[in-house]
Amino acid sequence: MKHEMKQLLEQVQSGAISVDDALLAMKMEPYEDLGFAKIDLHRRIRNGAGEVIYGAGKTVEQMIAIVHKMLSSGQDRILITRLDDEKAKGLTDAVEMTYYPEGHIGIVGGMPPKSGNGTIVVATGGTSDVPVAEEAALTAEFLGNDVIRLYDVGVAGLHRTLAHLKEIMEAEVVIAIAGMEGALASVLGGLAECPVIAVPTSVGYGASFHGVSALLSMLNSCASGVSVVNIDNGFGAAYQASLINHAGKKG
Amino acid sequence: MKHEMKQLLEQVQSGAISVDDALLAMKMEPYEDLGFAKIDLHRRIRNGAGEVIYGAGKTVEQMIAIVHKMLSSGQDRILITRLDDEKAKGLTDAVEMTYYPEGHIGIVGGMPPKSGNGTIVVATGGTSDVPVAEEAALTAEFLGNDVIRLYDVGVAGLHRTLAHLKEIMEAEVVIAIAGMEGALASVLGGLAECPVIAVPTSVGYGASFHGVSALLSMLNSCASGVSVVNIDNGFGAAYQASLINHAGKKG
Amino acid sequence: MKHEMKQLLEQVQSGAISVDDALLAMKMEPYEDLGFAKIDLHRRIRNGAGEVIYGAGKTVEQMIAIVHKMLSSGQDRILITRLDDEKAKGLTDAVEMTYYPEGHIGIVGGMPPKSGNGTIVVATGGTSDVPVAEEAALTAEFLGNDVIRLYDVGVAGLHRTLAHLKEIMEAEVVIAIAGMEGALASVLGGLAECPVIAVPTSVGYGASFHGVSALLSMLNSCASGVSVVNIDNGFGAAYQASLINHAGKKG
Amino acid sequence: MKHEMKQLLEQVQSGAISVDDALLAMKMEPYEDLGFAKIDLHRRIRNGAGEVIYGAGKTVEQMIAIVHKMLSSGQDRILITRLDDEKAKGLTDAVEMTYYPEGHIGIVGGMPPKSGNGTIVVATGGTSDVPVAEEAALTAEFLGNDVIRLYDVGVAGLHRTLAHLKEIMEAEVVIAIAGMEGALASVLGGLAECPVIAVPTSVGYGASFHGVSALLSMLNSCASGVSVVNIDNGFGAAYQASLINHAGKKG
Amino acid sequence: MKHEMKQLLEQVQSGAISVDDALLAMKMEPYEDLGFAKIDLHRRIRNGAGEVIYGAGKTVEQMIAIVHKMLSSGQDRILITRLDDEKAKGLTDAVEMTYYPEGHIGIVGGMPPKSGNGTIVVATGGTSDVPVAEEAALTAEFLGNDVIRLYDVGVAGLHRTLAHLKEIMEAEVVIAIAGMEGALASVLGGLAECPVIAVPTSVGYGASFHGVSALLSMLNSCASGVSVVNIDNGFGAAYQASLINHAGKKG
Amino acid sequence: MKHEMKQLLEQVQSGAISVDDALLAMKMEPYEDLGFAKIDLHRRIRNGAGEVIYGAGKTVEQMIAIVHKMLSSGQDRILITRLDDEKAKGLTDAVEMTYYPEGHIGIVGGMPPKSGNGTIVVATGGTSDVPVAEEAALTAEFLGNDVIRLYDVGVAGLHRTLAHLKEIMEAEVVIAIAGMEGALASVLGGLAECPVIAVPTSVGYGASFHGVSALLSMLNSCASGVSVVNIDNGFGAAYQASLINHAGKKG
Amino acid sequence: MKHEMKQLLEQVQSGAISVDDALLAMKMEPYEDLGFAKIDLHRRIRNGAGEVIYGAGKTVEQMIAIVHKMLSSGQDRILITRLDDEKAKGLTDAVEMTYYPEGHIGIVGGMPPKSGNGTIVVATGGTSDVPVAEEAALTAEFLGNDVIRLYDVGVAGLHRTLAHLKEIMEAEVVIAIAGMEGALASVLGGLAECPVIAVPTSVGYGASFHGVSALLSMLNSCASGVSVVNIDNGFGAAYQASLINHAGKKG
Amino acid sequence: MKHEMKQLLEQVQSGAISVDDALLAMKMEPYEDLGFAKIDLHRRIRNGAGEVIYGAGKTVEQMIAIVHKMLSSGQDRILITRLDDEKAKGLTDAVEMTYYPEGHIGIVGGMPPKSGNGTIVVATGGTSDVPVAEEAALTAEFLGNDVIRLYDVGVAGLHRTLAHLKEIMEAEVVIAIAGMEGALASVLGGLAECPVIAVPTSVGYGASFHGVSALLSMLNSCASGVSVVNIDNGFGAAYQASLINHAGKKG
């Protein structure tokens, strides 16, 4: 942004454009208005991986239009999250997309090569947490990361957790996904030597309050190095995990 | 109670007492009214250990009166909980009492011999949970139990927890005491082969909400065999643990 | 676990296995990975009763696969909880299972002989609490316990509660199940001489908040010897009750 | 109010007052403005008992001014609630007032004769609920009611409750006051044949949440005929109880 | 109950029954067990009006069985609450019942004559509160009360409320029913000279939280003489209102 | 109201009507009772725009009846909110109405001319907030306001917000509509020089708690000049915005 | 801001400043950094009234420094909110300031002339709400508004509210301030013809939850034209009220 | 850990130690038990920076003992958090420690050289958030990071935020600290190209609920790449930020 601003000022200086046009340009934004949504054509994800569509609440028609606009703007890869089976079917009829039903993820343009510093471990407390975990794992892969899935390693069976000590201790980032009491984040936070991103899930019943119990547990983790994202937000965890796994690569 | 009822009916049958007196007697209760509190002289704790006074909100004078009444009614041992240092001083001036400041517990008449089936493990997540743990441990000892204290064995340093695997696996009951995220209950629930009674503590800050986070975690524990008592209720946990440690001894 | 560890070390000492194989073995776990779930073939419930499958969220196909794997591993008896009528039908077509619709429980291999110290009383406040009570009662029976059902004995009709004073006072454990205001736990806690495990239910409307009101009541019970499990968690209460009813039988 | 309106209209009709004066009069209210509070000199409590001052947050000077104004307006009896010991001392120096420290109540002009249909039973679960109970009992007496105090009759010691069955069943109104789990309201609601007004108290700790647990219990009471007032609102319960105890006396 | 006890004791005294039989009889209760519900054949509502069945969660078959049992036990009038249209149809095919769809109420045996001291005003804030109001009004009529319905008199249009000042001021009891902000209870509480029972309703959206906002408003009413029942509990309000409207009629 | 009162009093004075008739008239209200709803025929919205029907929970038949009554009473324009597509179809069959499906709004009698001081900006954080925004925008237009729609200008893409700085700074009122974290209100509150009315929406998942998160954010806005309406209450925001946009036009 | 931007671009165009200096200038802000706070010297409140300091959490020394800086920057009038008596004393020793203890407000430079379209009515439900009301009233006066104070006009004494119908109906804005049940906002919202800004206060006890009950009531007001600010936020309400009272005066 | 295990197994193999000693050793942990706390002498923070003591709830004597033990075990640098001024004074009398009062931080052994990939930006919404920010900033510096402080850059004055666009966009990690509505996290999340760790603070009043409002806002941030730690947990945010700033440096 700063760069465009400087160019603009230089054009004003050189008389290439008028003051009023510059003023206008400074307000112009590189997004395209489809009426129901503004698409950010510039905001391409930093490591070159692609663009993201949040599928929930969008019709098949809207998503097809957005995908076409993105592709025609030069976008190579598109990730669509929160896609149900029916809409996925509608989309695959219209665009070349791979659908991953367990994570409710559609991917246009395939996965990129791995580009991170190391591996991202995606661990879950139980099998019911797998849909959120797959949203996280597929997002991380879409963003160019090597992912190790450790599912059903909840702390009530500690030997299952400990069986994967090596992967946990060698990871660049750990995503700890759990519902109910959410203790997995604390245990992994104590074992891992890297940042742990905790994802509470809405799995559970009664006093789990649709993920609130797990969320509070994770926020109160006595282990250092743990931070938390919204309930069921596998995408958000993977997005931040990818930033971390690509850290120190700027220059 | 059923026994007294039968006696009463037999006295009515034999004409030893009138119908009206029987009616009256059935309403009479073996407690003594001190004005500010009704003392249950019959409800002596089952394994012969003694009687309990809940010290919070009672004046020193009231407690001295209750203790004297109890002793004069033949009670040998009295446990006073939630006793602060100042009141403890006032009490020890008037009655022979040992005061345990860390657990805010006063004991009149000393500890009874051990009478349970095995040991009660009292474990805490951190050092700040120790006051609640001491309330539990001393109560359990007052009720005739062998107690093993495992303090500061929280799950963020799993090696500390696992260092005591033997004690945990050999216990008759485990009392798991933790604040913040309360994950200790789940981990101990997964390791122990006996009932685990979880005590959330009000230790923590921010989103720990004075113990609510730990309480919810413990209620949602994915480990079987875990039940929960009120926040900071070390006494209640020890009372139930003692019942369990004395189970199967009725006949 | 400690036992296997010792064996392993002795094998290393004797040269029977290499250091690396021992390291590997220590990480190997006696569970089998079916892809969607890790089955604990070792964790057979302690008193020999059998293994448990949590039916909610599993497909009929997944459950059939798990059951077959368990049976082929030598498991005699299997308890399936949270099973709806339709899935139960699907299961009974494929495996020999008795389905108890009121408790949403399926049992493979029948009930074991009674092995506890005494009886477990399962009491409910109203008729709407019966499904949770049946989950508890059937689980307790599956774990080798003698169960007495006292349904619809809520405290608003105290004579109903008192009519069963004998069963309550002779029990080894009482499971108190109630929705709405959950007062049953306190009243039974005051009457019983054994541990009382309270189960709040989501029965009620308005300010019952799907069981929260009953949960809070039970946590605040002024009766000693009461602990609480999650809302509607009949299984958890019965599991702990069974541990207590088998207490003192280790050695 | 309707009566004054009619008088006013008749005066307009007769020309005794002008239209504008009538308009003005209709807006005039029989209260006196002391600057810091508007006193309702008309709203004398219906059964002739007197007027009420809510003492919390008022200075001694303000209360003295209000009392003097009321007395000079012909008020015979004044009830002052939520009065702490220090302010009570200040007031008794200036006006003839009896102070009841347990209920934080001051009364000017003494108690009126009993005028209700029967008795109001004020029952508490424990001894810590007594301050709220005394606020209720003294208010009820101030409003001309016969009050029976049943303190420390909580449901964890059911024999204590049942010992007073006669008083409970013969009452015109029962005020059930309890903190912690608030089960007293349901038990009394099941035993009494009259309206039960439940008062949750802020007594308790941990998950009692300063009276919320008791409040929810009471709102969810499975006994018919129970209604609830705000936490610690002994005055409000007594006020409504007095209305009920004087019911059917209008004509 | 006291009466039967006395009779029993006299029979023991006279030798008419043995001690053991008396013991047994004391535990026997005059209810009949239908398996799925215990019916209280004695608890006939005090003013002779009839018995009540809570319809929610009961099948048509269960309700028919209960109704038949009640009728054959001499019950003349039965009130069935929370009855949906479909179940009502099923019931009317089997028993002579009048169904009131707006209040989801079925009545067997018709309405009794009016027997109260005066009128019960049932007022609502809006038209959406009418179903709860009809539950209250029909229940009150079933219990022998004269009912005045004042619907849609919410405080945002104060002239509507004030148009009914006469009915409000002459009532024996007012039932104030409102959702959203629940201000109706405070305004009616300020106008009425009799007890006001407030019923919060789950009407509203957003921050009304299914009746919690109205519930809190009503509990905090600054008007004296207001008590509150559970959200949407029209029956409970009417039941207590009827007790009040029949107060002073005991002797 | 004051005016009618004066007229009435003058008629009493002149003897044109009797005192009793005046009393009666003062209670008479200019609304018409349709049984299911009281219509305020006088309460025509102040700037002459029309009358409003809250469509949620009303049947098509009820709405047709209300519309016909309003039209026959001389109402020119009617706004119907919370109208779903199906009911809208039913209505358009019976009355001349334009239906705006995105805002669930139906309008009878068309839009009035613009009469406000300036423009009302309706801004949303995302595309999912558009239904609430359309309810607000159409209501504002129905009330005679010039509306500028700025949709999908959420603060995570600040350049989108800033692109509309001119419209925001020149508005008479800004309506800031956002779900999730609701930060839009603070940012617009900091940029605008006019009142900002914030509308939290129930858009989001997990810890958004159906709009509670956005609601709290908006209430805590650190920007001055921001006030808040209920979750999803687009109508309420527009109603107040219209009052503000017509401010200073009374005399 | 737009204006300065244009100037800047013109200077770049004319060569008056370099591109880099322009870039820098665009980031420069007209605030002064005192280390502990950034003062906005440009953001002078629009109608010329002055600048505001939020006193809570600032030391006397910090406030004196800020005041001196503001005065030396040409600010004539300064409003300091949330000022306790002790700090006020410290300030008045150092700067010429009038302190209003009831509203915890200090004003430097005196009140400006009235400049609004009409009057702002500040109404409270009780006398305990007066401190919040005074914060609102004094702020409004500081911002150049004519204020009418209507204190203690709560809805439980409706005649008190109605006695001020004229002031309410003639106001340009009404600020409705109430704790407990917060019904005042709905009643005033129904009576007033102008925007009503509701301020919940933390006055009350028990289930008032420090203002949450009043806050929810106000958000759910069934009266149109009501919006809400944070609990106890008298300043915020007055700030927006002043914007509204000065509306339509831009051009 | 894996390494020590292998060594141990090799010693068993070689006969250097017995099986029982190995078993024992495996349970031995490199921490030292001071009675009131177990010190982890091995868990030295990874980048060599030092060890941390959580000062809240520890006495001066306990902290001195821990510091001495750590120093004598070879620890060079110690960070003490949540240290109040009085305890800090006590500590500095006994050990060589620098105390930073604004962050309530004490540091023994001084700051290490900078070792991260880039800068950590610590930004706050207001001046009241500075104590939390200083806890974060000093922790980050103690862990070897270059820190840029941007205080009082809240979104209600967007120009203040944008004035630091360069620092924000060039950071390796941003720590966004804000109370009240917490919008800062979303705005920085939209501007930054690196992970943003959000810290809600308990700053605010009323509906800020001691940080809950900010916490919910941050969890619901619509900006990708934002995760959240507990309320006021500046240390936790800095700890994770340091891990991220040192990422990719393992090998």
Side-chain angles (χ1 to χ4, degrees), chain F residues 154-158 162 180-183 186-187 189-191 204-209 212-214 216-224, chain H residues 154-158 162 180-183 186-187 189-191 204-209 212-214 216-224:
Chain F
V155 301
L158 212 53
L162 296 178
M180 305 187 73
E181 94 279 56
S186 288
V187 169
L191 295 174
Y205 62 91
S208 77
F209 300 130
V212 172
S213 171
L216 292 180
S217 278
M218 288 166 167
L219 283 169
N220 284 287
S221 176
C222 46
S224 302
Chain H
V155 301
L158 210 53
L162 295 177
M180 305 187 71
E181 94 277 56
S186 288
V187 169
L191 296 173
Y205 63 90
S208 76
F209 300 130
V212 171
S213 171
L216 292 181
S217 277
M218 287 166 166
L219 284 168
N220 282 288
S221 174
C222 47
S224 301

Side-chain angles (χ1 to χ4, degrees), chain B residues 63-125:
Chain B
M63 285 188 282
I64 291 172
I66 298 176
V67 167
H68 282 157
K69 171 59 68 184
M70 284 176 168
L71 292 176
S72 71
S73 301
Q75 192 69 39
D76 294 328
R77 269 186 282 275
I78 302 166
L79 173 76
I80 311 174
T81 63
R82 306 273 162 127
L83 200 57
D84 61 39
D85 292 11
E86 199 181 348
K87 285 185 186 170
K89 204 177 160 325
L91 263 169
T92 44
D93 289 352
V95 295
E96 202 141 332
M97 186 190 81
T98 310
Y99 179 57
Y100 299 82
E102 267 209 305
H104 299 109
I105 290 272
I107 287 178
V108 176
M111 294 294 192
K114 307 303 178 202
S115 56
N117 294 318
T119 58
I120 295 177
V121 162
V122 177
T124 77

Side-chain angles (χ1 to χ4, degrees), chain A residues 154-158 162 180-183 186-187 189-191 204-209 212-213 216-223, chain B residues 154-158 162 180-183 186-187 189-191 204-209 212-213 216-223:
Chain A
V155 300
L158 211 52
L162 296 177
M180 305 186 70
E181 94 278 56
S186 288
V187 169
L191 295 173
Y205 63 91
S208 77
F209 299 129
V212 172
S213 171
L216 293 180
S217 277
M218 289 165 165
L219 284 169
N220 283 288
S221 175
C222 45
Chain B
V155 301
L158 211 52
L162 294 178
M180 303 186 72
E181 93 279 55
S186 289
V187 169
L191 294 174
Y205 63 90
S208 75
F209 300 129
V212 171
S213 172
L216 292 181
S217 277
M218 288 166 166
L219 284 169
N220 283 288
S221 174
C222 46

Side-chain angles (χ1 to χ4, degrees), chain A residues 12-76:
Chain A
V12 171
Q13 195 180 36
S14 69
I17 64 167
S18 72
V19 165
D20 281 341
D21 284 354
L23 252 183
L24 192 71
M26 284 166 66
K27 287 213 183 118
M28 283 278 303
E29 292 304 318
Y31 55 76
E32 185 126 3
D33 200 324
L34 297 190
F36 49 85
K38 300 208 167 76
I39 308 175
D40 245 322
L41 297 177
H42 271 209
R43 211 179 48 161
R44 193 175 299 188
I45 289 165
R46 267 142 294 229
N47 36 53
E51 180 60 90
V52 182
I53 300 170
Y54 180 68
K58 294 208 176 67
T59 64
V60 171
E61 290 67 35
Q62 290 177 328
M63 284 188 282
I64 291 173
I66 297 176
V67 167
H68 282 157
K69 170 59 67 183
M70 285 176 168
L71 292 176
S72 71
S73 302
Q75 193 69 39
D76 293 328

Side-chain angles (χ1 to χ4, degrees), chain C residues 114-182:
Chain C
K114 308 304 177 200
S115 54
N117 294 320
T119 58
I120 295 178
V121 162
V122 178
T124 76
T127 53
S128 320
D129 305 314
V130 168
V132 176
E134 278 301 307
E135 183 182 299
L138 290 162
T139 296
E141 287 170 348
F142 177 81
L143 297 172
N145 298 281
D146 213 350
V147 172
I148 296 179
R149 287 161 171 83
L150 302 181
Y151 291 172
D152 197 12
V153 297
V155 301
L158 211 53
H159 54 291
R160 298 180 184 183
T161 324
L162 295 177
H164 299 287
L165 201 52
K166 187 173 183 303
E167 292 93 326
I168 293 164
M169 294 188 69
E170 290 178 8
E172 277 295 303
V173 197
V174 171
I175 299 177
I177 301 173
M180 306 185 69
E181 93 277 56

